[in-house]
Amino acid sequence: MGAGTVASEIRAPDRLLLRKAAAALAAARHVCVLTGAGISAESGIPTFRDALTGLWANFRPEELATLEAFERDPAFVWKWYEWRRDLVRQALPNAGHRALAELARRVPRVTLVTQNVDGLHQRAGSVDVIEYHGNILRDRCLAEQIVAERSRDVGGDLPRCASCGGLLRPDVVWFGEMIPGDAMRMADAAAGDCDVFMSVGTSSLVYPAAGLAETALSRGVPVIEINPNPTELTRHADPALAGPAGAMLPALLEMLDWK
Ligand code: BJW
């Protein structure tokens, strides 16, 4: 992290909370971080539930993020996903993503679990990222339930599987679908083992991801939240850092330097 003025630009009460968070991180052996759409907002990728800019400002989730919706109108759902794929391909990791990659070099162990499907953590240098809700840039064969290549031979509007010719879908987790087994096991294990938990840029509304912070809380582990808006988790978090991830995370790293 460059020499910085980042922490000094933050309001004094927030600096106290940052200091508390930095002290917890400085003493930590294993930090589990859960990220959500908010960390990619500063890369230009809309969140889901923010009232005016969110991806669902004009749609209900059930219209787009369920298997039923896809089976009802695959062309409509694919159009939404192709539009989002273009956004993701053009996006760059921001200071928040980079700070989490750097955090892994500063504390003995970091497990990074992301609900995001955009791959920006990996592009920022984080390794072994647990993709809890899949990855938007991959296709999955609806019939074979495996990650698949697109067929170049079959015409028509909808992407088809190169191996069986069946319909492809994005390799993401929709409502009512199971979390990939390995992702679920590794994330549960990390929430059950960490000595600091961080929740960054998520509304903490969607389960089982939101349950990871609850696991940490039930173990009496410090739970740090970073979010400019209050969430279901805020009143339980200590400290709750009310600000954007792209400012708060670099400031937190800078404080860690002083420890
Ligand atoms: C910033 C910021 C900045 C802005 N810096 N922050 C227990 C209780 C109740 C319900 C359930 C339960 N267990 C399961 C359920 C059902 C359901 C569920 O949770 N429903 C609730 C909504 C009520 N869960 C499921 O169905 C899950 N599967 C499951 O449980 O399987 C078992 C099962 C099977 C069958 C039957 C029953 C159970 C699957 C959930 C899949 C979620 N999928 C989506 C779409 C992914 C694909 C895609 O991308 O299209 O995942 S939905 C969407 O929500 C996406 C996200 O990953 C997820 C979470 O959203 P996130 O990231 O929190 O975004 P937002 O927009 O909500 O919030 C952004 C936040 O950022 C805000 O707070 C801002 O303030 C903040 N922010 N700028 C920091 N700069």
Side-chain angles (χ1 to χ4, degrees), residues 69-193:
F70 184 75
E71 287 175 341
R72 200 164 48 236
D73 193 346
F76 179 65
V77 174
W78 260 123
K79 206 169 154 196
W80 189 60
Y81 277 95
E82 293 292 10
W83 170 73
R84 287 178 54 206
R85 278 182 175 187
D86 282 345
L87 280 182
V88 164
R89 287 194 189 102
Q90 286 163 30
L92 294 172
N94 64 53
H97 297 107
R98 288 194 296 274
L100 285 180
E102 179 61 25
L103 181 68
R105 295 186 270 274
R106 305 278 187 93
V107 296
R109 184 173 167 211
V110 170
T111 302
L112 177 53
V113 184
T114 187
Q115 297 169 87
N116 298 345
V117 295
D118 55 33
L120 288 180
H121 285 302
Q122 293 90 326
R123 286 171 59 195
S126 286
V127 293
D128 299 330
V129 179
I130 299 174
E131 293 186 321
Y132 208 75
H133 290 158
N135 190 305
I136 199 171
L137 297 176
R138 290 192 300 258
D139 293 325
R140 190 186 337 151
C141 176
L142 199 56
E144 300 168 289
Q145 286 301 326
I146 51 168
V147 172
E149 295 296 317
R150 285 186 179 206
S151 168
R152 293 171 199 278
D153 307 332
V154 188
D157 291 343
L158 294 169
R160 298 265 165 195
C161 174
S163 137
C164 77
L167 203 54
L168 291 175
R169 57 166 284 180
D171 188 26
V172 297
V173 181
W174 285 324
F175 284 115
E177 295 187 324
M178 304 298 281
I179 306 304
D182 283 350
M184 181 117 169
R185 271 188 296 280
M186 290 189 290
D188 281 347
D193 173 74

Side-chain angles (χ1 to χ4, degrees), residues 6 52 66 168 194 196 242 259:
V6 184
L52 292 175
T66 64
L168 291 175
C194 64
V196 174
K259 292 276 149 208

